[in-house]
PDB file of all heavy atoms in Angstrom:
ATOM      1  N   LEU A1249       4.287   3.825 -14.230  1.00 97.00           N
ATOM      2  CA  LEU A1249       4.379   4.369 -12.865  1.00 97.00           C
ATOM      3  C   LEU A1249       5.182   3.406 -12.001  1.00 97.00           C
ATOM      4  O   LEU A1249       6.054   3.817 -11.202  1.00 97.00           O
ATOM      5  CB  LEU A1249       3.002   4.608 -12.292  1.00 97.00           C
ATOM      6  CG  LEU A1249       2.900   5.378 -10.973  1.00 97.00           C
ATOM      7  CD1 LEU A1249       3.203   6.828 -11.266  1.00 97.00           C
ATOM      8  CD2 LEU A1249       1.559   5.228 -10.358  1.00 97.00           C
ATOM      9  N   ILE A1250       4.930   2.116 -12.134  1.00 96.00           N
ATOM     10  CA  ILE A1250       5.673   1.112 -11.356  1.00 96.00           C
ATOM     11  C   ILE A1250       7.134   1.094 -11.753  1.00 96.00           C
ATOM     12  O   ILE A1250       8.028   1.062 -10.928  1.00 96.00           O
ATOM     13  CB  ILE A1250       5.020  -0.266 -11.533  1.00 96.00           C
ATOM     14  CG1 ILE A1250       3.633  -0.311 -10.827  1.00 96.00           C
ATOM     15  CG2 ILE A1250       5.927  -1.376 -11.028  1.00 96.00           C
ATOM     16  CD1 ILE A1250       2.877  -1.581 -11.056  1.00 96.00           C
ATOM     17  N   ARG A1251       7.375   1.161 -13.083  1.00 95.00           N
ATOM     18  CA  ARG A1251       8.787   1.112 -13.553  1.00 95.00           C
ATOM     19  C   ARG A1251       9.574   2.290 -13.060  1.00 95.00           C
ATOM     20  O   ARG A1251      10.741   2.148 -12.668  1.00 95.00           O
ATOM     21  CB  ARG A1251       8.791   1.097 -15.091  1.00 95.00           C
ATOM     22  CG  ARG A1251       8.278  -0.201 -15.674  1.00 95.00           C
ATOM     23  CD  ARG A1251       8.475  -0.241 -17.196  1.00 95.00           C
ATOM     24  NE  ARG A1251       7.950  -1.458 -17.754  1.00 95.00           N
ATOM     25  CZ  ARG A1251       6.777  -1.553 -18.402  1.00 95.00           C
ATOM     26  NH1 ARG A1251       6.039  -0.469 -18.543  1.00 95.00           N
ATOM     27  NH2 ARG A1251       6.350  -2.698 -18.900  1.00 95.00           N
ATOM     28  N   ARG A1252       8.960   3.448 -13.018  1.00 96.00           N
ATOM     29  CA  ARG A1252       9.712   4.674 -12.663  1.00 96.00           C
ATOM     30  C   ARG A1252       9.712   4.989 -11.197  1.00 96.00           C
ATOM     31  O   ARG A1252      10.676   5.559 -10.668  1.00 96.00           O
ATOM     32  CB  ARG A1252       9.162   5.858 -13.460  1.00 96.00           C
ATOM     33  CG  ARG A1252       9.246   5.759 -14.963  1.00 96.00           C
ATOM     34  CD  ARG A1252      10.673   5.577 -15.409  1.00 96.00           C
ATOM     35  NE  ARG A1252      10.767   5.341 -16.860  1.00 96.00           N
ATOM     36  CZ  ARG A1252      11.904   5.023 -17.465  1.00 96.00           C
ATOM     37  NH1 ARG A1252      13.024   4.877 -16.761  1.00 96.00           N
ATOM     38  NH2 ARG A1252      11.934   4.837 -18.781  1.00 96.00           N
ATOM     39  N   LEU A1253       8.632   4.685 -10.495  1.00 97.00           N
ATOM     40  CA  LEU A1253       8.490   5.095  -9.107  1.00 97.00           C
ATOM     41  C   LEU A1253       8.591   3.953  -8.114  1.00 97.00           C
ATOM     42  O   LEU A1253       9.013   4.162  -6.972  1.00 97.00           O
ATOM     43  CB  LEU A1253       7.159   5.834  -8.872  1.00 97.00           C
ATOM     44  CG  LEU A1253       7.202   7.395  -9.015  1.00 97.00           C
ATOM     45  CD1 LEU A1253       7.562   7.773 -10.437  1.00 97.00           C
ATOM     46  CD2 LEU A1253       5.861   7.979  -8.647  1.00 97.00           C
ATOM     47  N   PHE A1254       8.164   2.754  -8.500  1.00 96.00           N
ATOM     48  CA  PHE A1254       8.067   1.637  -7.568  1.00 96.00           C
ATOM     49  C   PHE A1254       8.790   0.425  -8.109  1.00 96.00           C
ATOM     50  O   PHE A1254       8.201  -0.618  -8.418  1.00 96.00           O
ATOM     51  CB  PHE A1254       6.616   1.329  -7.276  1.00 96.00           C
ATOM     52  CG  PHE A1254       5.828   2.485  -6.796  1.00 96.00           C
ATOM     53  CD1 PHE A1254       4.837   3.083  -7.548  1.00 96.00           C
ATOM     54  CD2 PHE A1254       6.115   3.015  -5.506  1.00 96.00           C
ATOM     55  CE1 PHE A1254       4.124   4.168  -7.073  1.00 96.00           C
ATOM     56  CE2 PHE A1254       5.407   4.085  -5.033  1.00 96.00           C
ATOM     57  CZ  PHE A1254       4.381   4.678  -5.800  1.00 96.00           C
ATOM     58  N   PRO A1255      10.115   0.490  -8.246  1.00 95.00           N
ATOM     59  CA  PRO A1255      10.853  -0.592  -8.860  1.00 95.00           C
ATOM     60  C   PRO A1255      10.757  -1.936  -8.096  1.00 95.00           C
ATOM     61  O   PRO A1255      10.918  -3.001  -8.701  1.00 95.00           O
ATOM     62  CB  PRO A1255      12.317  -0.110  -8.871  1.00 95.00           C
ATOM     63  CG  PRO A1255      12.334   1.050  -7.917  1.00 95.00           C
ATOM     64  CD  PRO A1255      11.001   1.631  -7.948  1.00 95.00           C
ATOM     65  N   ALA A1256      10.456  -1.884  -6.814  1.00 94.00           N
ATOM     66  CA  ALA A1256      10.308  -3.135  -6.057  1.00 94.00           C
ATOM     67  C   ALA A1256       9.166  -3.968  -6.613  1.00 94.00           C
ATOM     68  O   ALA A1256       9.156  -5.189  -6.460  1.00 94.00           O
ATOM     69  CB  ALA A1256      10.040  -2.821  -4.565  1.00 94.00           C
ATOM     70  N   ALA A1257       8.169  -3.312  -7.220  1.00 94.00           N
ATOM     71  CA  ALA A1257       7.023  -4.038  -7.743  1.00 94.00           C
ATOM     72  C   ALA A1257       7.186  -4.444  -9.191  1.00 94.00           C
ATOM     73  O   ALA A1257       6.263  -5.047  -9.782  1.00 94.00           O
ATOM     74  CB  ALA A1257       5.756  -3.176  -7.574  1.00 94.00           C
ATOM     75  N   ARG A1258       8.303  -4.154  -9.772  1.00 94.00           N
ATOM     76  CA  ARG A1258       8.486  -4.522 -11.206  1.00 94.00           C
ATOM     77  C   ARG A1258       8.437  -6.011 -11.406  1.00 94.00           C
ATOM     78  O   ARG A1258       8.116  -6.492 -12.512  1.00 94.00           O
ATOM     79  CB  ARG A1258       9.794  -3.914 -11.733  1.00 94.00           C
ATOM     80  CG  ARG A1258       9.791  -2.433 -11.838  1.00 94.00           C
ATOM     81  CD  ARG A1258      11.076  -1.853 -12.394  1.00 94.00           C
ATOM     82  NE  ARG A1258      11.270  -2.210 -13.795  1.00 94.00           N
ATOM     83  CZ  ARG A1258      12.192  -1.710 -14.564  1.00 94.00           C
ATOM     84  NH1 ARG A1258      13.045  -0.825 -14.063  1.00 94.00           N
ATOM     85  NH2 ARG A1258      12.359  -2.062 -15.823  1.00 94.00           N
ATOM     86  N   ARG A1259       8.787  -6.755 -10.402  1.00 92.00           N
ATOM     87  CA  ARG A1259       8.758  -8.226 -10.537  1.00 92.00           C
ATOM     88  C   ARG A1259       7.352  -8.736 -10.851  1.00 92.00           C
ATOM     89  O   ARG A1259       7.202  -9.856 -11.377  1.00 92.00           O
ATOM     90  CB  ARG A1259       9.276  -8.877  -9.219  1.00 92.00           C
ATOM     91  CG  ARG A1259       8.340  -8.621  -8.034  1.00 92.00           C
ATOM     92  CD  ARG A1259       8.790  -9.413  -6.797  1.00 92.00           C
ATOM     93  NE  ARG A1259      10.146  -9.100  -6.398  1.00 92.00           N
ATOM     94  CZ  ARG A1259      10.961 -10.003  -5.927  1.00 92.00           C
ATOM     95  NH1 ARG A1259      10.603 -11.267  -5.806  1.00 92.00           N
ATOM     96  NH2 ARG A1259      12.205  -9.660  -5.598  1.00 92.00           N
ATOM     97  N   TYR A1260       6.303  -7.951 -10.526  1.00 94.00           N
ATOM     98  CA  TYR A1260       4.960  -8.376 -10.764  1.00 94.00           C
ATOM     99  C   TYR A1260       4.411  -8.044 -12.146  1.00 94.00           C
ATOM    100  O   TYR A1260       3.331  -8.439 -12.526  1.00 94.00           O
ATOM    101  CB  TYR A1260       4.021  -7.807  -9.692  1.00 94.00           C
ATOM    102  CG  TYR A1260       4.559  -8.052  -8.284  1.00 94.00           C
ATOM    103  CD1 TYR A1260       4.907  -6.982  -7.449  1.00 94.00           C
ATOM    104  CD2 TYR A1260       4.730  -9.343  -7.800  1.00 94.00           C
ATOM    105  CE1 TYR A1260       5.395  -7.203  -6.180  1.00 94.00           C
ATOM    106  CE2 TYR A1260       5.244  -9.577  -6.560  1.00 94.00           C
ATOM    107  CZ  TYR A1260       5.565  -8.485  -5.750  1.00 94.00           C
ATOM    108  OH  TYR A1260       6.056  -8.717  -4.481  1.00 94.00           O
ATOM    109  N   ILE A1261       5.177  -7.227 -12.883  1.00 94.00           N
ATOM    110  CA  ILE A1261       4.751  -6.882 -14.248  1.00 94.00           C
ATOM    111  C   ILE A1261       5.767  -7.265 -15.302  1.00 94.00           C
ATOM    112  O   ILE A1261       5.469  -7.281 -16.476  1.00 94.00           O
ATOM    113  CB  ILE A1261       4.471  -5.369 -14.362  1.00 94.00           C
ATOM    114  CG1 ILE A1261       5.731  -4.526 -14.086  1.00 94.00           C
ATOM    115  CG2 ILE A1261       3.369  -4.930 -13.465  1.00 94.00           C
ATOM    116  CD1 ILE A1261       5.605  -3.067 -14.430  1.00 94.00           C
ATOM    117  N   GLU A1262       6.994  -7.622 -14.854  1.00 90.00           N
ATOM    118  CA  GLU A1262       8.010  -8.040 -15.811  1.00 90.00           C
ATOM    119  C   GLU A1262       9.096  -8.781 -15.035  1.00 90.00           C
ATOM    120  O   GLU A1262       9.127  -8.761 -13.779  1.00 90.00           O
ATOM    121  CB  GLU A1262       8.655  -6.831 -16.536  1.00 90.00           C
ATOM    122  CG  GLU A1262       9.237  -5.817 -15.576  1.00 90.00           C
ATOM    123  CD  GLU A1262       9.619  -4.517 -16.254  1.00 90.00           C
ATOM    124  OE1 GLU A1262       8.937  -4.113 -17.239  1.00 90.00           O
ATOM    125  OE2 GLU A1262      10.588  -3.886 -15.808  1.00 90.00           O
ATOM    126  N   ASN A1263      10.000  -9.394 -15.694  1.00 80.00           N
ATOM    127  CA  ASN A1263      11.048 -10.185 -15.054  1.00 80.00           C
ATOM    128  C   ASN A1263      12.223  -9.258 -14.655  1.00 80.00           C
ATOM    129  O   ASN A1263      13.235  -9.158 -15.299  1.00 80.00           O
ATOM    130  CB  ASN A1263      11.559 -11.273 -15.990  1.00 80.00           C
ATOM    131  CG  ASN A1263      12.545 -12.210 -15.268  1.00 80.00           C
ATOM    132  OD1 ASN A1263      12.517 -12.265 -14.076  1.00 80.00           O
ATOM    133  ND2 ASN A1263      13.365 -12.888 -16.038  1.00 80.00           N
ATOM    134  N   ASN A1264      12.006  -8.515 -13.551  1.00 80.00           N
ATOM    135  CA  ASN A1264      12.982  -7.533 -13.106  1.00 80.00           C
ATOM    136  C   ASN A1264      12.925  -7.460 -11.584  1.00 80.00           C
ATOM    137  O   ASN A1264      11.862  -7.079 -11.084  1.00 80.00           O
ATOM    138  CB  ASN A1264      12.761  -6.197 -13.739  1.00 80.00           C
ATOM    139  CG  ASN A1264      13.981  -5.294 -13.586  1.00 80.00           C
ATOM    140  OD1 ASN A1264      14.604  -5.230 -12.566  1.00 80.00           O
ATOM    141  ND2 ASN A1264      14.295  -4.586 -14.696  1.00 80.00           N
ATOM    142  N   GLN A1265      13.970  -7.851 -10.911  1.00 80.00           N
ATOM    143  CA  GLN A1265      13.929  -7.895  -9.461  1.00 80.00           C
ATOM    144  C   GLN A1265      15.065  -7.090  -8.846  1.00 80.00           C
ATOM    145  O   GLN A1265      16.136  -6.937  -9.474  1.00 80.00           O
ATOM    146  CB  GLN A1265      13.982  -9.356  -8.941  1.00 80.00           C
ATOM    147  CG  GLN A1265      12.842 -10.192  -9.441  1.00 80.00           C
ATOM    148  CD  GLN A1265      12.858 -11.583  -8.810  1.00 80.00           C
ATOM    149  OE1 GLN A1265      13.522 -11.824  -7.811  1.00 80.00           O
ATOM    150  NE2 GLN A1265      12.139 -12.528  -9.424  1.00 80.00           N
ATOM    151  N   TYR A1266      14.816  -6.572  -7.670  1.00 81.00           N
ATOM    152  CA  TYR A1266      15.799  -5.769  -6.974  1.00 81.00           C
ATOM    153  C   TYR A1266      16.176  -6.419  -5.618  1.00 81.00           C
ATOM    154  O   TYR A1266      15.303  -7.032  -4.977  1.00 81.00           O
ATOM    155  CB  TYR A1266      15.287  -4.358  -6.694  1.00 81.00           C
ATOM    156  CG  TYR A1266      15.254  -3.505  -7.930  1.00 81.00           C
ATOM    157  CD1 TYR A1266      14.225  -3.675  -8.859  1.00 81.00           C
ATOM    158  CD2 TYR A1266      16.229  -2.517  -8.160  1.00 81.00           C
ATOM    159  CE1 TYR A1266      14.198  -2.882 -10.028  1.00 81.00           C
ATOM    160  CE2 TYR A1266      16.182  -1.746  -9.277  1.00 81.00           C
ATOM    161  CZ  TYR A1266      15.158  -1.928 -10.205  1.00 81.00           C
ATOM    162  OH  TYR A1266      15.144  -1.133 -11.321  1.00 81.00           O
ATOM    163  N   GLY A1267      17.445  -6.277  -5.234  1.00 77.00           N
ATOM    164  CA  GLY A1267      17.881  -6.851  -3.946  1.00 77.00           C
ATOM    165  C   GLY A1267      17.459  -5.948  -2.815  1.00 77.00           C
ATOM    166  O   GLY A1267      17.128  -4.767  -2.974  1.00 77.00           O
ATOM    167  N   ARG A1268      17.533  -6.512  -1.595  1.00 74.00           N
ATOM    168  CA  ARG A1268      17.101  -5.797  -0.398  1.00 74.00           C
ATOM    169  C   ARG A1268      17.945  -4.578  -0.133  1.00 74.00           C
ATOM    170  O   ARG A1268      17.496  -3.588   0.527  1.00 74.00           O
ATOM    171  CB  ARG A1268      17.062  -6.716   0.790  1.00 74.00           C
ATOM    172  CG  ARG A1268      16.045  -7.831   0.681  1.00 74.00           C
ATOM    173  CD  ARG A1268      15.880  -8.614   1.945  1.00 74.00           C
ATOM    174  NE  ARG A1268      15.322  -7.813   3.003  1.00 74.00           N
ATOM    175  CZ  ARG A1268      14.033  -7.573   3.145  1.00 74.00           C
ATOM    176  NH1 ARG A1268      13.148  -8.055   2.268  1.00 74.00           N
ATOM    177  NH2 ARG A1268      13.552  -6.825   4.150  1.00 74.00           N
ATOM    178  N   ASN A1269      19.203  -4.544  -0.623  1.00 81.00           N
ATOM    179  CA  ASN A1269      20.029  -3.369  -0.368  1.00 81.00           C
ATOM    180  C   ASN A1269      19.565  -2.167  -1.173  1.00 81.00           C
ATOM    181  O   ASN A1269      19.980  -1.026  -0.904  1.00 81.00           O
ATOM    182  CB  ASN A1269      21.508  -3.658  -0.733  1.00 81.00           C
ATOM    183  CG  ASN A1269      21.688  -4.098  -2.190  1.00 81.00           C
ATOM    184  OD1 ASN A1269      20.717  -4.475  -2.826  1.00 81.00           O
ATOM    185  ND2 ASN A1269      22.879  -3.987  -2.680  1.00 81.00           N
ATOM    186  N   SER A1270      18.648  -2.390  -2.140  1.00 89.00           N
ATOM    187  CA  SER A1270      18.092  -1.250  -2.905  1.00 89.00           C
ATOM    188  C   SER A1270      17.263  -0.313  -1.997  1.00 89.00           C
ATOM    189  O   SER A1270      17.143   0.881  -2.270  1.00 89.00           O
ATOM    190  CB  SER A1270      17.210  -1.784  -4.045  1.00 89.00           C
ATOM    191  OG  SER A1270      17.941  -2.531  -4.946  1.00 89.00           O
ATOM    192  N   GLN A1271      16.720  -0.898  -0.929  1.00 89.00           N
ATOM    193  CA  GLN A1271      15.900  -0.084  -0.015  1.00 89.00           C
ATOM    194  C   GLN A1271      16.733   1.062   0.555  1.00 89.00           C
ATOM    195  O   GLN A1271      16.233   2.211   0.707  1.00 89.00           O
ATOM    196  CB  GLN A1271      15.364  -0.951   1.116  1.00 89.00           C
ATOM    197  CG  GLN A1271      14.338  -2.011   0.675  1.00 89.00           C
ATOM    198  CD  GLN A1271      12.955  -1.409   0.499  1.00 89.00           C
ATOM    199  OE1 GLN A1271      12.779  -0.237   0.497  1.00 89.00           O
ATOM    200  NE2 GLN A1271      11.967  -2.267   0.375  1.00 89.00           N
ATOM    201  N   ALA A1272      17.956   0.784   0.869  1.00 87.00           N
ATOM    202  CA  ALA A1272      18.827   1.840   1.408  1.00 87.00           C
ATOM    203  C   ALA A1272      19.056   2.951   0.424  1.00 87.00           C
ATOM    204  O   ALA A1272      19.117   4.129   0.760  1.00 87.00           O
ATOM    205  CB  ALA A1272      20.148   1.230   1.891  1.00 87.00           C
ATOM    206  N   VAL A1273      19.194   2.563  -0.850  1.00 90.00           N
ATOM    207  CA  VAL A1273      19.394   3.578  -1.925  1.00 90.00           C
ATOM    208  C   VAL A1273      18.152   4.435  -2.058  1.00 90.00           C
ATOM    209  O   VAL A1273      18.252   5.680  -2.119  1.00 90.00           O
ATOM    210  CB  VAL A1273      19.687   2.868  -3.257  1.00 90.00           C
ATOM    211  CG1 VAL A1273      19.827   3.888  -4.395  1.00 90.00           C
ATOM    212  CG2 VAL A1273      20.975   2.080  -3.140  1.00 90.00           C
ATOM    213  N   TRP A1274      16.992   3.806  -2.085  1.00 93.00           N
ATOM    214  CA  TRP A1274      15.740   4.606  -2.200  1.00 93.00           C
ATOM    215  C   TRP A1274      15.527   5.498  -1.030  1.00 93.00           C
ATOM    216  O   TRP A1274      14.997   6.601  -1.176  1.00 93.00           O
ATOM    217  CB  TRP A1274      14.587   3.664  -2.417  1.00 93.00           C
ATOM    218  CG  TRP A1274      14.710   2.792  -3.627  1.00 93.00           C
ATOM    219  CD1 TRP A1274      15.374   3.084  -4.766  1.00 93.00           C
ATOM    220  CD2 TRP A1274      14.232   1.443  -3.781  1.00 93.00           C
ATOM    221  NE1 TRP A1274      15.352   2.005  -5.631  1.00 93.00           N
ATOM    222  CE2 TRP A1274      14.627   0.987  -5.074  1.00 93.00           C
ATOM    223  CE3 TRP A1274      13.468   0.587  -2.981  1.00 93.00           C
ATOM    224  CZ2 TRP A1274      14.304  -0.274  -5.529  1.00 93.00           C
ATOM    225  CZ3 TRP A1274      13.171  -0.680  -3.448  1.00 93.00           C
ATOM    226  CH2 TRP A1274      13.562  -1.114  -4.721  1.00 93.00           C
ATOM    227  N   LEU A1275      15.906   5.047   0.133  1.00 90.00           N
ATOM    228  CA  LEU A1275      15.780   5.852   1.351  1.00 90.00           C
ATOM    229  C   LEU A1275      16.699   7.044   1.264  1.00 90.00           C
ATOM    230  O   LEU A1275      16.286   8.176   1.525  1.00 90.00           O
ATOM    231  CB  LEU A1275      16.104   5.005   2.557  1.00 90.00           C
ATOM    232  CG  LEU A1275      15.982   5.705   3.950  1.00 90.00           C
ATOM    233  CD1 LEU A1275      14.514   5.995   4.259  1.00 90.00           C
ATOM    234  CD2 LEU A1275      16.560   4.811   5.034  1.00 90.00           C
TER     235      LEU A1275
END
């Protein structure tokens, strides 16, 4: 669920981080 719906939280379950500009894409 985190991987598919909440990528911002992937950093807490695996080594995968998103930049702040991703917020604009999700919006």
Side-chain angles (χ1 to χ4, degrees):
L1249 191 72
I1250 290 174
R1251 291 187 182 102
R1252 299 301 176 188
L1253 267 64
F1254 304 111
R1258 291 182 68 171
R1259 65 173 59 216
Y1260 308 118
I1261 62 170
E1262 58 189 32
N1263 187 21
N1264 195 317
Q1265 299 185 18
Y1266 287 77
R1268 295 188 66 80
N1269 60 341
S1270 299
Q1271 293 279 11
V1273 176
W1274 301 330
L1275 182 67

